[in-house]
Amino acid sequence: MGKFDSWEDQVRRHCGTVQLIGDRDRFEGGSISTRIFGNAQVSLITADPHMVVRHDSVATSEGGHVYVATPLSGCTHLSQDGTEVVVSAGDVVAFDSSRPYTLTMPEPFTMVAVRAPHRELGVAPQRTHSVTASPWTGTCGVGALASRTLAGLGAHLTELDEAAREPLGAMVSGLINTLFADRLCSMGMDPVAARQLLMLRICGFAKEHLGDSSLSPAMLARRYNISLRYLQILFAEQDTSPARWIRDQRLERLRIDLANPRYDHLTVAAIGGRWGLGDASQVSRLFRMKYGVSPRDYRRMRGDGLVAAA
């Protein structure tokens, strides 16, 4: 197997089914270092020039994720949703692998890319058109903050152990939410943008208050002056409900803490209480339903080195 074929296999392992196009005779290789931060995957990618194509039929059948990327060196050409842009080193851009896209790297490059589930960010695949293929400048504002944060993650990616990375997942997803909210705010009174912005704000507030036992769909509806039915419609666009989304977020925070040896002195019930979950038996039942093992077994498996980040 040639260097280009090996690189294509490596890219597919990390990014799903894509086609790579390039000069096979001149391609010398590339490398991908990937770590999991909560529900987000952060990758540092270095390679020779080539093109990555995600085709329509594959995107439709596989589904996808939101990607936010910044080139550290070399420029990147992105084509998605009928728009083609050039992303310079230091700038930040988003694309969505649930729809076809083309990434072209015309020169040797290094890039940091974050992949996150739509539900984690509070955006539905059909609602990301307004933020894809439209770069944020890396010289000022929230784009500069995102660019420097992603560059820092890339520089120290392999130095952070799992216990350090897991809590940073909320920071990574929060950074992406801030980028998207910034873009949607700039769109003024566009009704679709306003709807997306509302959803981002609701999810952001809820994530900050997961430990509050009073957090509920009714409380969110009151806070944002909308009906409970409208709140349910917003979450239904992500194939979930407000109550299920809150529960899943709380269970994920519980899982993150169970994966962190720094919290081994706390009981499962105590950790569940930190995140607004109920009594020990309820916590165990819900955790088993979501992850297939009890919280205690999950913690034990982590100690035995059998647990991988979800």
Side-chain angles (χ1 to χ4, degrees):
M1 181 181 291
K3 292 180 179 179
F4 195 82
D5 293 324
S6 297
W7 174 244
E8 186 169 35
D9 287 344
Q10 189 175 355
V11 171
R12 286 177 172 175
R13 285 198 301 271
H14 291 279
C15 304
T17 304
V18 292
Q19 177 188 8
L20 268 62
I21 301 171
D23 189 333
R24 294 175 177 270
D25 295 330
R26 296 186 178 182
F27 188 84
E28 290 298 321
S31 66
I32 303 179
S33 296
T34 295
R35 297 292 186 273
I36 301 299
F37 289 73
N39 280 325
Q41 172 184 286
V42 180
S43 298
L44 177 66
I45 308 163
T46 299
D48 283 341
H50 64 283
M51 179 185 297
V52 179
V53 182
R54 175 87 161 172
H55 293 289
D56 191 10
S57 58
V58 174
T60 301
S61 62
E62 283 191 352
H65 298 77
V66 175
Y67 283 84
V68 174
T70 182
L72 303 183
S73 65
C75 67
T76 298
H77 299 225
L78 168 65
S79 175
Q80 185 165 53
D81 300 326
T83 301
E84 296 183 9
V85 294
V86 177
V87 188
S88 301
D91 290 346
V92 181
V93 74
F95 56 98
D96 192 324
S97 64
S98 66
R99 300 190 299 278
Y101 65 81
T102 300
L103 284 173
T104 304
M105 285 65 67
E107 56 190 350
F109 70 97
T110 298
M111 173 189 297
V112 177
V114 179
R115 186 183 81 177
H118 295 90
R119 186 177 295 181
E120 170 70 12
L121 302 175
V123 293
Q126 64 271 25
R127 299 287 184 182
T128 60
H129 294 76
S130 54
V131 296
T132 55
S134 180
W136 290 263
T137 178
T139 60
C140 62
V142 68
L145 175 63
S147 176
R148 292 167 189 167
T149 301
L150 294 180
L153 287 174
H156 302 283
L157 192 62
T158 60
E159 301 171 13
L160 301 172
D161 61 20
E162 183 177 346
R165 293 195 310 269
E166 286 283 7
L168 292 174
M171 179 273 290
V172 173
S173 62
L175 178 67
I176 297 175
N177 274 351
T178 301
L179 276 173
F180 289 3
D182 173 76
R183 175 57 43 76
L184 296 170
C185 281
S186 70
M187 298 177 68
M189 297 304 293
D190 181 278
V192 174
R195 184 184 180 100
Q196 290 177 272
L197 183 58
L198 174 61
M199 187 62 175
L200 286 173
R201 286 174 171 166
I202 290 171
C203 291
F205 175 85
K207 287 179 182 180
E208 291 177 1
H209 294 82
L210 290 172
D212 183 349
S213 60
S214 68
L215 178 67
S216 67
M219 183 261 236
L220 290 175
R222 288 194 302 270
R223 176 176 176 81
Y224 289 94
N225 197 30
I226 58 177
S227 68
L228 184 58
R229 175 58 182 157
Y230 186 63
L231 184 72
Q232 292 168 338
I233 290 173
L234 290 175
F235 278 88
E237 292 175 352
Q238 299 184 62
D239 297 321
T240 188
S241 69
R244 188 183 309 123
W245 187 89
I246 292 171
R247 182 198 65 199
D248 287 348
Q249 289 291 317
R250 284 171 163 161
L251 289 171
E252 177 62 11
R253 296 307 186 273
L254 170 61
R255 186 196 67 78
I256 288 172
D257 284 356
L258 291 174
N260 193 333
R262 295 168 185 165
Y263 296 114
D264 280 354
H265 65 288
L266 296 177
T267 65
V268 171
I271 297 176
R274 292 182 66 214
W275 298 112
L277 293 166
D279 59 44
S281 60
Q282 181 190 33
V283 170
S284 182
R285 178 178 59 83
L286 293 174
F287 193 92
R288 185 185 291 275
M289 287 174 58
K290 183 170 178 63
Y291 298 109
V293 296
S294 71
R296 287 184 177 83
D297 285 344
Y298 184 87
R299 177 179 264 174
R300 177 185 57 76
M301 291 165 64
R302 185 214 75 206
D304 293 340
L306 301 176
V307 167

